[in-house]
Amino acid sequence: DETIGQKASGWTRWPGGWPEEISTSLIDAVFSARATYETKHGKGVLPLVRCWRDANGKAVNDLALLAKQISEVGPATWATRFGSSQHSPGRRTEDPGGPTKAAAVLEAAEKLTAQGVRSADHISDETAAAVKATLREVRGVGYATVNYFLILLGRPGVKPDRMIHRFITEATGKAFSDAEAEQLVTQVAGTLGVASHVLEHAMWSYESAKASR
């Protein structure tokens, strides 16, 4: 009650993600890692993602087209055109395409396409685990990013990023692993009768607003 309260009606609303848009979801998930998602002045990752989405037609749900788009000009040039040349956490200069988040998106898109995952309808209950494993092979794409990618596509889950860890640590006085944080949020969401990503987003919004102050 001292933070977000126990009634979902008072929480920050989950914006809905990008159902049926696998490329938009991948770009959003990778570029939002340790970055400002949206500011009150219209800056941040989300406006860039929306701009890319509005200009790219069929590519929004076709990883092969996304990979082709990036590889034709190179990750560095694509990143500049996209509007962010930010490096991906944990990625190195010698990694395929370099250290940028654009290079991580390209590598992820190529790996998923090679596994036969090209559009949103290729991800199901049967393939989700394999998709997660494939994405985790990409340096700089971590646990939270992989979960967020699937959440953006409309699948249940929790993105245990630094804001969620901060919320949980402040509430419990304990530190948790990503998997433990995901399990805890899922359990609490079930108790409250809400989807796990809805609770997680409310927690994230609370901590983000507090950090900005």
Side-chain angles (χ1 to χ4, degrees):
D1 287 342
E2 294 178 358
T3 53
I4 62 173
Q6 296 188 29
K7 295 184 177 180
S9 58
W11 298 349
T12 301
R13 185 180 63 85
W14 162 246
W18 311 104
E20 304 304 322
E21 296 188 18
I22 195 169
S23 299
T24 312
S25 296
L26 180 61
I27 294 170
D28 190 326
V30 172
F31 273 87
S32 63
R34 299 187 189 180
T36 300
Y37 196 59
E38 184 178 23
T39 72
K40 61 182 179 181
H41 302 295
K43 303 295 183 180
V45 172
L46 182 57
L48 297 179
V49 174
R50 285 173 173 160
C51 185
W52 179 86
R53 176 181 182 267
D54 291 344
N56 281 277
K58 293 182 179 180
V60 301
N61 193 36
D62 191 326
L63 288 180
L65 289 180
L66 174 61
K68 181 174 183 289
Q69 180 187 97
I70 299 175
S71 61
E72 282 182 343
V73 298
T77 297
W78 187 89
T80 299
R81 293 177 180 176
F82 175 72
S84 173
S85 297
Q86 190 176 42
H87 286 198
S88 179
R91 201 167 176 85
R92 305 171 301 187
T93 302
E94 61 268 29
D95 288 325
T100 65
K101 289 181 175 180
V105 169
L106 172 59
E107 187 179 350
E110 290 178 335
K111 284 182 177 294
L112 287 177
T113 300
Q115 294 296 321
V117 179
R118 179 168 175 166
S119 61
D121 59 1
H122 291 151
I123 299 180
S124 64
D125 291 342
E126 291 72 29
T127 63
V131 166
K132 284 187 174 184
T134 297
L135 288 175
R136 289 299 299 276
E137 294 175 0
V138 179
R139 191 182 296 275
V141 176
Y143 191 106
T145 298
V146 171
N147 279 18
Y148 188 44
F149 166 65
L150 293 177
I151 292 169
L152 288 169
L153 280 169
R155 302 191 65 80
V158 174
K159 176 191 177 187
D161 66 4
R162 56 180 176 169
M163 294 299 180
I164 300 306
H165 279 287
R166 185 180 300 170
F167 187 103
I168 293 174
T169 299
E170 290 175 351
T172 66
K174 301 177 182 179
F176 293 83
S177 68
D178 286 339
E180 291 169 339
E182 178 181 13
Q183 183 179 29
L184 179 60
V185 174
T186 300
Q187 289 175 343
V188 173
T191 300
L192 296 176
V194 299
S196 54
H197 65 274
V198 171
L199 174 58
E200 175 249 293
H201 181 70
M203 296 162 65
W204 179 88
S205 297
Y206 171 82
E207 285 297 336
S208 296
K210 190 167 68 172
S212 68
R213 293 194 296 267

